[in-house]
Amino acid sequence: MKSRATALAFSAALAGVVLVSFIGSGSAFAQNVIGGALGGSRPSQGVGPLVAPSLGGSSFGGESAGVAPSAAYGSPSDVISSIEVVGNQRVEPATVISYMTIAPGDKFDPAKIDASLKALFATGLFADVSLRRDGSLLVANVLENPIINRIAFEGNDHVSDSQIEKEVQLKARVIYTRAKVQSDVQRVVEVYRRAGRFAATVEPKVIQLAQNRVDLVFEINEGPTTGIRRINFIGNKKFSDSTLRDAIATRETRWWRFLSSSDNYDPDRLAYDRELVRRYYLTRGYADFRVVSAVAELSPDREDFFITFSLDEGEPYTFSSSTVESKIADLHPEGLSEIVRTQPGDVYNAEKIEKTIDDLTFEAGRLGYAFVDIRPKIVHHREQRTISVSYQINEAPRVYVDRINITGNVRTLDKVIRREFRLVEGDAYNSAKLSRSKDRLKSLSFFDKVEINEVPGSAPDRTNINVEVTEKSTGELQLGAGYSTTESVVGDISIRERNLLGRGQDLRLGLSLSSKRSQIDLSFTEPYFMDRNIAAGFDIFNIRRNLQSESSYDQKVLGFALRGGFPLSEYTRFVGRYTLRKDTIDNIGYYASRAVIESAGTEITSSVGYNTTYDTRDDAKIPTKGINFTFGNDIAGLGGTVRYLRTSASATIYYEVAEGFVASAGFDGGHIVGLGEDIRLNDRFYIGGTDFRGFKRGGLGPRELQSEDALGGNMYGVGTLEMTFPNGLPEQFGVRTSFFNDVGTLTGIDKKDSGIVDSGSIRAAGGVAVSWDSPFGPIGVALAQAYKKESYDKTEIFRFNFGTRF
């Protein structure tokens, strides 16, 4: 037994020596056999012993790769002699190798090979990668992702292709990956959710093409619009559900809201509604108010949402005191206290605090203190339910304008924007001047949106001002039409470019053609003549009016005007002009009045005049605050055959009563007096139509009863009260509604023959006006009723105008 055991032990030892020799010499058979015996992976399908399986590869070396733990790594066979890339079609082998973390000359390091595998997958270029060893050769077997030939969308009726294309990341000639496709599917679904279609589904389809290309088709099932069935509020005691529903942007679905999307569920709008409810309470005294939750639940039929707001109102507060404290020696708070909006006894209003801070900052900047930091110190007195506010003015670090960066202007030249700025690079930063610059840019009416932001500059005491504008169409093709109770129909067409060649120049060509008037006029304005702050321009006009139904004569006017203007101050401007014109009154009607017959003939008018304008409106087109005042004179007699002095004045003040409610009060008047002679018929004032709604043009004032000729007047005055208010439509629709009331008179002629009536009485008319910035152009409708008039006045109930822009 002992000799037999000794023999077995000797045989085993000898076999081990032989096997170790095989392993050391790199025998693939020995390594596979030993690796399998030690619990390694399955035998390799290739030549080398180390294989990374498909779709994810494997770790290289060690037990997981089928290598015996006793394998020696110090021999030359463990060094990579070269890397071979197979399976690639578009990507160059050198490019594949450059992505790998292992290179020829390195050892077969499992960690580096794993990292190389991950790096190749991370490129997104490959659908599959495997690495295997073939002796001293490392073989990278790749399967490239296909290239997208084109992307198509099917089934999208309510959302355009262009809207979806802006959201998806994949484009034509981009590498296709499943991860990106799934990401884009979610993006398309999100587009439909923002459009209120939560039942929308998107299914991507891939069409294989030659040369490893694919067509990607997103098949869309839009589903129905997901509306709002009910909006509920819980915890509201002071304000009713209906009141709070009016305070938010989301609306319950109703049939009459077919033009609006506010009754579609939008999670972003719901978050905005939370803020709107909070603001509503904070502006009405409820300083401790909070929205506990805002939950949207989909109905069982998946067609509508139920929205529920849970509220904690708290108690109402009033202001007990408001003070201003200044830590700037030369800035005295006494002069600033007058503009504080939070007066003692007033109901607490967080918005008033914010506006007071803005007003104080603006006023300090206007006084020359550009570097101020105003912080409100708010103290709640809960037992008395009062709040005291102290506005503390601290000196902020001095900051200067480093750069003014302008983006978004495709057509408009940079200098057109920069010349409206009250700040230039190197100036001390001033919030008041920056705010004024924004108002001036908006007043140009060249842009739909003007956004100004400050970002850190090149140094701590420097700031960059980023100006982002969105241009709008400044070319206008305007059509106009009017209808009156006396069958007066007029039509106008004009073409105008307010930003010619992006230089801010204004060019207009007008043509009026109707049974009553033909007019052609050309005007041009250069707002910065010779790059100076001087506006220069000219007007050329040729007008023929058929005034037979109004005053029994025809009128011809041919002439031109030269004008130039410059600013007197930030808000005041002076404009001077010279006019030369030839006026002819002919084709006198058979039953014309004596005053018309005596005015027949041709006269030459040579006049000089001026206008001085003071304008603080925040927006020239749709103002919400500010004053616009104009005063001017014209004197005729520097040559020509006509001599007179004419004075005109107009003023309008705008005030935002509440959010969306803008009140305006205006006056327009004029007076003309002859210099040694009577005023001719065509030099008098005629009002009505657009400047006195409810009356047709020339519909009020002195008139000859027998012929019913309108004779005009030497003096007039019209006052207007108007209130613009929300109409329930989204602001982006551009529909504005207002109530108006016009009151005024037109009176005074030099010779009053028998049969001429001139009561000089006050006339009045009221009504409603609607304007719409439609996709086709501005549309306006006015309905007016003259409720105070004379029996011989000519009224107009309905007025309509339409235009388009390009």
Side-chain angles (χ1 to χ4, degrees):
M1 293 291 293
K2 182 176 180 179
S3 60
R4 182 179 180 182
T6 302
L8 289 173
F10 177 80
S11 300
L14 181 61
V17 171
V18 173
L19 289 174
V20 170
S21 298
F22 280 139
I23 294 172
S25 64
S27 169
F29 174 77
Q31 292 186 25
N32 282 329
V33 171
I34 297 299
L38 295 178
S41 62
R42 57 183 173 81
S44 171
Q45 299 295 324
V47 177
L50 305 179
V51 179
S54 177
L55 292 176
S58 72
S59 298
F60 240 84
E63 295 183 0
S64 62
V67 180
S70 59
Y73 286 97
S75 64
S77 61
D78 290 322
V79 176
I80 299 173
S81 61
S82 63
I83 300 176
E84 180 182 352
V85 180
V86 296
N88 56 310
Q89 298 180 26
R90 299 182 311 272
V91 185
E92 293 294 329
T95 303
V96 177
I97 295 172
S98 68
Y99 288 121
M100 300 172 64
T101 61
I102 198 166
D106 293 344
K107 291 184 178 182
F108 284 95
D109 186 348
K112 283 188 176 182
I113 294 176
D114 276 347
S116 297
L117 195 66
K118 294 174 181 176
L120 289 174
F121 272 114
T123 63
L125 298 172
F126 310 109
D128 192 15
V129 179
S130 65
L131 300 177
R132 62 183 176 84
R133 176 177 177 179
D134 186 0
S136 62
L137 182 68
L138 180 62
V139 180
N141 197 338
V142 297
L143 177 63
E144 295 178 349
N145 276 320
I147 292 290
I148 295 176
N149 179 56
R150 70 183 185 96
I151 297 177
F153 305 98
E154 296 181 355
N156 53 312
D157 296 327
H158 295 85
V159 180
S160 65
D161 286 4
S162 60
Q163 288 178 277
I164 301 176
E165 287 170 355
K166 292 178 182 178
E167 297 293 333
V168 298
Q169 291 182 330
L170 288 172
K171 310 291 181 185
R173 296 180 297 279
V174 171
I175 295 173
Y176 168 92
T177 67
R178 291 183 179 180
K180 288 183 179 180
V181 170
Q182 291 304 316
S183 176
D184 280 349
V185 166
Q186 293 304 314
R187 290 172 182 271
V188 176
V189 170
E190 185 60 30
V191 170
Y192 275 93
R193 287 186 175 182
R194 290 200 300 267
R197 295 179 178 271
F198 279 77
T201 59
V202 180
E203 184 70 25
K205 300 292 184 183
V206 178
I207 302 174
Q208 299 289 339
L209 303 175
Q211 300 177 347
N212 200 22
R213 295 176 302 127
V214 297
D215 283 344
L216 178 59
V217 180
F218 290 94
E219 294 183 352
I220 302 171
N221 180 8
E222 294 183 319
T225 301
T226 312
I228 308 297
R229 188 172 300 180
R230 186 71 178 171
I231 301 175
N232 300 308
F233 295 88
I234 299 174
N236 52 311
K237 300 176 182 178
K238 177 63 178 179
F239 302 104
S240 65
D241 284 14
S242 60
T243 300
L244 295 178
R245 289 190 196 105
D246 292 337
I248 62 177
T250 303
R251 296 287 183 260
E252 294 180 347
T253 301
R254 297 293 184 269
W255 67 267
W256 61 81
R257 295 197 174 103
F258 62 94
L259 289 177
S260 171
S261 62
S262 61
D263 58 346
N264 297 337
Y265 174 67
D266 184 344
D268 293 335
R269 189 189 293 129
L270 183 61
Y272 178 56
D273 286 337
R274 290 180 62 124
E275 180 62 18
L276 290 178
V277 174
R278 192 181 74 87
R279 288 184 184 180
Y280 187 85
Y281 273 90
L282 291 180
T283 56
R284 286 160 177 79
Y286 292 84
D288 296 330
F289 172 82
R290 65 189 183 96
V291 179
V292 178
S293 65
V295 180
E297 297 177 305
L298 192 61
S299 62
D301 56 13
R302 303 184 63 83
E303 292 185 358
D304 296 299
F305 276 92
F306 293 91
I307 296 179
T308 304
F309 292 89
S310 297
L311 313 177
D312 181 6
E313 290 184 329
E315 298 294 335
Y317 287 77
T318 57
F319 289 112
S320 59
S321 63
S322 296
T323 58
V324 179
E325 300 177 6
S326 176
K327 294 185 179 180
I328 301 176
D330 296 331
L331 186 60
H332 303 291
E334 292 79 11
L336 301 175
S337 300
E338 298 178 358
I339 61 177
V340 173
R341 301 179 182 231
T342 54
Q343 297 300 319
D346 289 351
V347 175
Y348 171 79
N349 189 328
E351 190 174 284
K352 285 186 177 181
I353 296 177
E354 295 176 3
K355 289 185 176 180
T356 298
I357 294 173
D358 292 340
D359 293 344
L360 289 173
T361 303
F362 184 89
E363 185 66 15
R366 191 182 66 83
L367 295 174
Y369 298 92
F371 309 104
V372 295
D373 178 26
I374 302 176
R375 299 177 182 270
K377 183 179 179 181
I378 302 174
V379 180
H380 290 67
H381 307 283
R382 302 190 184 280
E383 293 183 358
Q384 295 82 16
R385 284 190 289 182
T386 60
I387 290 177
S388 59
V389 185
S390 175
Y391 299 94
Q392 299 180 345
I393 304 177
N394 303 307
E395 186 170 4
R398 293 184 174 273
V399 179
Y400 298 88
V401 177
D402 194 3
R403 291 183 59 85
I404 299 176
N405 303 311
I406 301 172
T407 59
N409 53 319
V410 178
R411 211 162 51 90
T412 307
L413 301 181
D414 271 16
K415 72 174 186 178
V416 173
I417 297 174
R418 290 182 181 275
R419 68 194 184 193
E420 300 300 327
F421 258 75
R422 304 297 90 182
L423 292 169
V424 297
E425 282 93 343
D427 282 356
Y429 175 80
N430 189 311
S431 59
K433 290 184 177 181
L434 192 62
S435 176
R436 175 59 181 160
S437 301
K438 184 175 182 178
D439 289 343
R440 289 176 64 90
L441 285 176
K442 290 169 63 179
S443 296
L444 290 176
S445 196
F446 295 168
F447 311 108
D448 273 329
K449 183 181 71 172
V450 178
E451 294 290 341
I452 298 180
N453 299 301
E454 305 108 55
V455 297
S458 59
D461 63 341
R462 298 282 174 173
T463 185
N464 290 335
I465 297 175
N466 291 339
V467 184
E468 182 181 354
V469 298
T470 302
E471 291 181 323
K472 66 180 180 181
S473 298
T474 53
E476 297 178 359
L477 176 63
Q478 200 75 27
L479 304 174
Y483 171 78
S484 74
T485 54
T486 56
E487 298 181 356
S488 173
V489 178
V490 293
D492 304 283
I493 179 172
S494 67
I495 185 170
R496 180 184 183 188
E497 174 54 65
R498 294 179 290 104
N499 187 15
L500 185 64
L501 302 176
R503 299 177 178 271
Q505 299 167 337
D506 192 334
L507 178 65
R508 179 185 181 276
L509 175 63
L511 176 65
S512 296
L513 294 173
S514 71
S515 59
K516 303 189 64 175
R517 180 179 61 179
S518 63
Q519 172 179 336
I520 183 169
D521 58 273
L522 174 68
S523 65
F524 175 78
T525 302
E526 168 56 68
Y528 278 76
F529 184 63
M530 298 181 67
D531 287 331
R532 298 180 180 272
N533 198 2
I534 299 175
F538 64 83
D539 303 284
I540 302 173
F541 46 86
N542 186 0
I543 307 169
R544 182 179 181 89
R545 295 189 182 98
N546 180 349
L547 302 175
Q548 296 292 336
S549 63
E550 299 173 18
S551 303
S552 300
Y553 69 88
D554 290 348
Q555 178 187 22
K556 298 177 183 177
V557 182
L558 175 64
F560 72 91
L562 301 175
R563 45 190 164 77
F566 54 89
L568 299 175
S569 67
E570 181 63 30
Y571 300 100
T572 308
R573 191 170 187 86
F574 176 88
V575 177
R577 59 183 172 271
Y578 170 76
T579 304
L580 180 65
R581 53 185 281 180
K582 180 177 77 171
D583 293 82
T584 301
I585 294 178
D586 60 7
N587 196 20
I588 307 300
Y590 184 79
Y591 295 103
S593 65
R594 181 179 176 181
V596 172
I597 295 173
E598 291 178 348
S599 297
T602 299
E603 300 285 351
I604 303 295
T605 302
S606 175
S607 66
V608 294
Y610 73 91
N611 276 345
T612 301
T613 302
Y614 176 74
D615 190 354
T616 63
R617 293 175 297 174
D618 59 341
D619 190 308
K621 184 180 179 182
I622 311 174
T624 60
K625 62 180 179 180
I627 299 173
N628 184 30
F629 172 75
T630 301
F631 179 84
N633 286 115
D634 289 279
I635 183 168
L638 304 177
T641 61
V642 178
R643 291 170 176 80
Y644 62 75
L645 173 64
R646 180 169 56 205
T647 303
S648 59
S650 64
T652 307
I653 183 170
Y654 300 89
Y655 179 74
E656 190 171 19
V657 180
E659 186 175 358
F661 291 83
V662 178
S664 63
F667 172 80
D668 186 19
H671 181 262
I672 186 170
V673 58
L675 301 178
E677 61 182 39
D678 293 338
I679 298 299
R680 299 180 71 242
L681 199 65
N682 56 300
D683 290 326
R684 294 174 185 157
F685 298 107
Y686 294 82
I687 61 174
T690 57
D691 49 16
F692 201 142
R693 291 161 290 192
F695 294 87
K696 66 170 292 188
R697 175 71 178 172
L700 67 154
R703 187 178 302 277
E704 208 278 331
L705 287 178
Q706 184 175 357
S707 63
E708 296 187 346
D709 288 342
L711 305 179
N714 293 348
M715 180 176 63
Y716 82 97
V718 178
T720 299
L721 293 176
E722 191 158 3
M723 173 66 77
T724 303
F725 57 91
N727 50 30
L729 295 175
E731 186 177 347
Q732 60 267 25
F733 276 31
V735 179
R736 293 175 294 279
T737 310
S738 65
F739 289 123
F740 64 84
N741 192 80
D742 295 341
V743 178
T745 189
L746 173 68
T747 186
I749 56 176
D750 295 308
K751 291 193 300 185
K752 186 180 295 185
D753 298 331
S754 60
I756 296 178
V757 290
D758 178 18
S759 66
S761 63
I762 298 296
R763 275 78 156 183
V768 60
V770 178
S771 63
W772 178 27
D773 292 332
S774 76
F776 314 103
I779 296 176
V781 176
L783 294 174
Q785 178 65 51
Y787 60 86
K788 186 172 178 55
K789 60 180 181 177
E790 297 294 339
S791 59
Y792 51 84
D793 288 340
K794 306 297 182 181
T795 59
E796 180 180 81
I797 296 176
F798 173 75
R799 190 165 187 86
F800 166 81
N801 60 76
F802 164 76
T804 186
R805 292 191 175 94
F806 62 92

